[in-house]
Amino acid sequence: MPFQPKTPYLAVDGIINIQSEDGKFEGIVLIERKYPPVGLALPGGFVEVGESVERALLREMKEETGLDVVALRQFRVYSDPERDPRFHVVSVVFECVARGIPRGSDDAKVARIYRYDEVPLDKLVFDHSEILRDYLSDKSAVFRGI
């Protein structure tokens, strides 16, 4: 019998910055989750076997928000074994940009744009409030001055 290592699940999350047609910043996308743990979250999901994290990100963002995103950069990796109450999940978080109006689909009941100063950090599930606090304090974030 071949060795079957027990490892954490691998996921991706996207910080989607929405731009208007004239290039102005409108906010970031949060979803309302359909399944437990319910609450607001960054859009994201699990990487499938044979799929790169970059491909998984594009697929998950489209599935949950209907948006075609451009992954600008890998932001950070979050790996605290307690970050997801269901099981150990390691998430690769990407900074993204998209145009359009998000629509909740798949695992997302609702997808909505929030300005940075409107993000309800106390209502976010998993460690997504920590991720967004890290992002908002990151001086190299693309949309820092907007």
Side-chain angles (χ1 to χ4, degrees), residues 74-93:
Q74 180 181 322
F75 177 59
R76 292 188 185 166
V77 173
Y78 290 81
S79 62
D80 183 335
E82 304 298 319
R83 67 178 298 273
D84 187 319
R86 301 168 298 177
F87 32 73
H88 186 180
V89 177
V90 173
S91 183
V92 181
V93 179

Side-chain angles (χ1 to χ4, degrees), residues 28-32 40 102-104 110-114 118 120:
I28 61 170
V29 177
L30 295 177
I31 63 160
E32 185 179 330
L40 292 176
R103 299 197 189 328
V110 176
R112 181 177 163 223
I113 301 170
Y114 290 83
E118 296 175 339

